[in-house]
Amino acid sequence: MLTFEYIDDDASLTKLVAQYRQSQLLVLDTEFVRTRTYYARLGLIQAYDGKTLALIDPVAVSNLAEFWQLLTVPEITTVLHSCSEDLEVFARNGNCQPFKLFDSQIAASLCGFGHGLGYGKLVEQTLDIVLDKGESRTDWMKRPLSEAQLNYAANDVYYLYNLYPQLIEKLEEQDRLAWVFEEGERMTKDRLTPPNLDQAYLKVKNAFQLSPKQLAFLKVLAKWRLQKALSRDLAVGFVVKDHALIGLAKKQPKSNNELFNMTELTEQEKRIHGKDILALLKTADLDNPPKAIDVIALKTGYKSSFKAIKNCLVAIAENKQVSIELLGSKRHIHEYLQWLWDGKVTATPLLLTGWRKGLVETSLNELKLSNI
C-alpha cells in the first residue's frame, strides 16, 4: 500500500507546489473521463517528486493555476507515459505545456523495449512488478473515490519515478537522451493554438471525394459544427456525423422537404439543426471554393515510391535499433513524399529534421523514386 497525500483544498495545494518547486523531477499522470464531450473532463492529477506522492482533486480544489505553473519551470523535468492525452488536458485546463518533457513510452522505444509499450508492461519489464489494472475503466468524476481507485492512481506515478533512472541510463549509454527531449518539444508544439475553424472541413472523413464546389458547402458546415462542439463541449460526432456533412455537401438541399428526405441525417439531426443547416448552405462561397483535396495515395508512382522509402527506413531502423514506427511511420512517409511532389518548397518534413535527419537523409537522397 503506497503512502500519498490527498490534496482537496487550496492551502494544501499551495504547500505542495512550494515543495515541488524545489525538485528537478516531477512525475505526472492524469485521470479523466471522455465519452460525449469535446474536451476530456479532468478527474484526478497524480504527482510525485520522489519525496511526496500527491493525488490532487481538481473537482475540489478551486484554483489549480499555481500547480500548472510548475510545468513551465525550466529547471523541472516533467515525466509522463504516453502523454498525448495528458498534454490535451494541460492545454485545456492549465493553458500550458511542459517546458521540459520526458515521455517514458518514447524513451522505452528508443531503449529497445518495444514501440508503444503500455505502462504496465514497462513496469513489468524494468521492475519485474505486475500492476493491477482493475480500475482502468473507472469513473474518475464520481466522488468519493474508493481506496482501490486511489491506490491504482498512485501506482501510475510511483513506479514511473522508480523506473525512470533505468531509462536514463540506457539512453545515455546509446547517446539518445537528447532525442527524447526533442520528441517532447515536438509533441508540445502548437498545443495551445485554438482549432482552425476554417480548416475543419479537411478533417471530415472522405472530404477528398468532393469537388471544389461541394467543398465550399462542406467548409461552412464543418466550421459551424466545430463551433457548436466547442461551445457545448460536445464531441463533433454528437453534433452531426461526418457522413451526414458529406451528404449535405453533395446534395445541397434547398428546402425542408429536400433536407427531411435525406437518409444521411438522423431524424434528431434534422429536427434540431435543419433550419440552421439550410441557412448555412446559402452562405457557401461558390466564387472562391477550396482547392480539390490532393490525395497523395492516388498519385502515379505512389505505391512504388512509398515501398522504396519504407524499405529504406526499415533497413535503417534495424541497423540502428530504432523502432520503424518511431523513425518513420506511414504518416511521416506521406509527408516526405508530399514535400517531394511539392518541389521541396513547403515545410521540411519530420524525416529530415532533428535526430531522424542524421539517420536517414543520406539514404533517402540516394533513392531513385519514380515520377518525382
Side-chain angles (χ1 to χ4, degrees):
M1 191 77 67
L2 298 179
T3 300
F4 56 81
E5 292 186 12
Y6 190 78
I7 306 297
D8 58 359
D9 63 81
D10 292 6
S12 298
L13 182 68
T14 296
K15 182 180 178 181
L16 178 71
V17 168
Q19 176 191 312
Y20 282 168
R21 279 191 176 275
Q22 308 306 311
S23 305
Q24 293 183 319
L25 187 70
L26 186 60
V27 179
L28 295 179
D29 190 27
T30 62
E31 304 296 347
F32 51 85
V33 176
R34 174 183 272 157
T35 50
R36 296 174 58 91
T37 58
Y38 186 88
Y39 298 106
R41 299 171 65 201
L42 180 59
L44 194 69
I45 303 169
Q46 304 100 289
Y48 187 38
D49 67 344
K51 296 178 181 178
T52 301
L53 198 164
L55 303 181
I56 303 167
D57 187 344
V59 177
V61 176
S62 64
N63 189 350
L64 289 164
E66 56 187 344
F67 176 80
W68 298 127
Q69 290 171 6
L70 285 173
L71 276 64
T72 66
V73 176
E75 293 78 19
I76 298 178
T77 298
T78 303
V79 182
L80 294 135
H81 186 84
S82 185
C83 67
S84 180
E85 291 184 302
D86 298 293
L87 297 180
E88 287 184 31
V89 168
F90 299 157
R92 168 62 176 169
N93 293 272
N95 193 34
C96 68
Q97 291 291 278
F99 181 86
K100 189 176 183 183
L101 172 62
F102 183 100
D103 187 318
S104 55
Q105 187 178 68
I106 290 174
S109 180
L110 290 172
C111 289
F113 284 107
H115 181 73
L117 201 64
Y119 176 66
K121 287 292 184 182
L122 181 58
V123 170
E124 188 174 346
Q125 287 191 29
T126 55
L127 302 177
D128 198 26
I129 294 172
V130 178
L131 297 179
D132 178 10
K133 303 298 285 185
E135 299 296 328
S136 60
R137 295 186 179 276
T138 196
D139 181 0
W140 293 102
M141 301 306 298
K142 187 178 179 180
R143 294 295 185 272
L145 294 170
S146 68
E147 185 176 338
Q149 288 174 309
L150 296 175
N151 279 296
Y152 165 88
N155 284 341
D156 281 349
V157 288
Y158 178 79
Y159 292 109
L160 184 50
Y161 181 90
N162 284 281
L163 65 82
Y164 174 77
Q166 292 191 36
L167 295 177
I168 291 292
E169 182 180 359
K170 289 181 178 294
L171 289 165
E172 288 180 335
E173 286 175 358
Q174 300 176 62
D175 197 23
R176 293 180 177 181
L177 180 57
W179 295 10
V180 178
F181 289 117
E182 181 188 314
E183 288 297 294
E185 289 182 18
R186 182 178 64 82
M187 287 190 292
T188 57
K189 185 180 179 182
D190 298 329
R191 287 274 182 178
L192 303 183
T193 304
N196 188 329
L197 298 174
D198 288 324
Q199 298 293 310
Y201 74 99
L202 294 172
K203 295 186 177 181
V204 178
K205 186 177 180 181
N206 293 324
F208 72 91
Q209 297 176 352
L210 304 184
S211 67
K213 178 184 176 182
Q214 292 169 335
L215 287 173
F217 290 104
L218 182 66
K219 184 175 180 178
V220 296
L221 290 166
K223 180 177 181 177
W224 162 82
R225 182 179 69 166
L226 182 53
Q227 287 173 322
K228 282 278 188 184
L230 292 171
S231 64
R232 296 170 58 191
D233 189 17
L234 194 64
V236 291
F238 288 107
V239 180
V240 177
K241 298 287 192 295
D242 275 9
H243 74 273
L245 293 190
I246 296 294
L248 287 165
K250 287 181 176 179
K251 296 180 178 179
Q252 304 140 35
K254 295 177 176 59
S255 66
N256 281 326
N257 282 341
E258 290 180 9
L259 186 138
F260 274 83
N261 284 331
M262 288 185 60
T263 58
E264 292 90 345
L265 287 158
T266 66
E267 294 306 310
Q268 183 180 26
E269 289 169 342
K270 295 171 185 176
R271 186 177 67 255
I272 296 175
H273 304 301
K275 185 176 179 180
D276 287 343
I277 288 171
L278 289 174
L280 277 166
L281 291 171
K282 294 178 181 178
T283 68
D285 187 356
L286 301 181
D287 294 326
N288 299 287
K291 294 180 180 179
I293 297 173
D294 186 16
V295 182
I296 190 172
L298 300 180
K299 286 182 177 290
T300 303
Y302 167 80
K303 288 185 178 180
S304 60
S305 296
F306 181 92
K307 184 177 181 180
I309 296 170
K310 181 66 177 290
N311 290 340
C312 174
L313 294 178
V314 167
I316 294 171
E318 291 176 353
N319 179 258
K320 300 297 183 181
Q321 295 185 318
V322 179
S323 71
I324 182 60
E325 295 90 350
L326 186 59
L327 177 64
S329 67
K330 182 177 181 180
R331 179 173 59 84
H332 297 151
I333 297 175
H334 280 191
E335 182 188 52
Y336 177 71
L337 276 170
Q338 189 67 63
W339 176 73
L340 292 178
W341 266 301
D342 288 340
K344 302 182 180 180
V345 296
T346 51
T348 304
L350 184 67
L351 281 172
L352 297 182
T353 63
W355 61 269
R356 290 177 177 84
K357 178 179 180 179
L359 296 184
V360 310
E361 184 177 35
T362 299
S363 297
L364 290 179
N365 286 340
E366 292 174 352
L367 291 177
K368 305 298 182 184
L369 303 176
S370 60
N371 295 293
I372 295 179

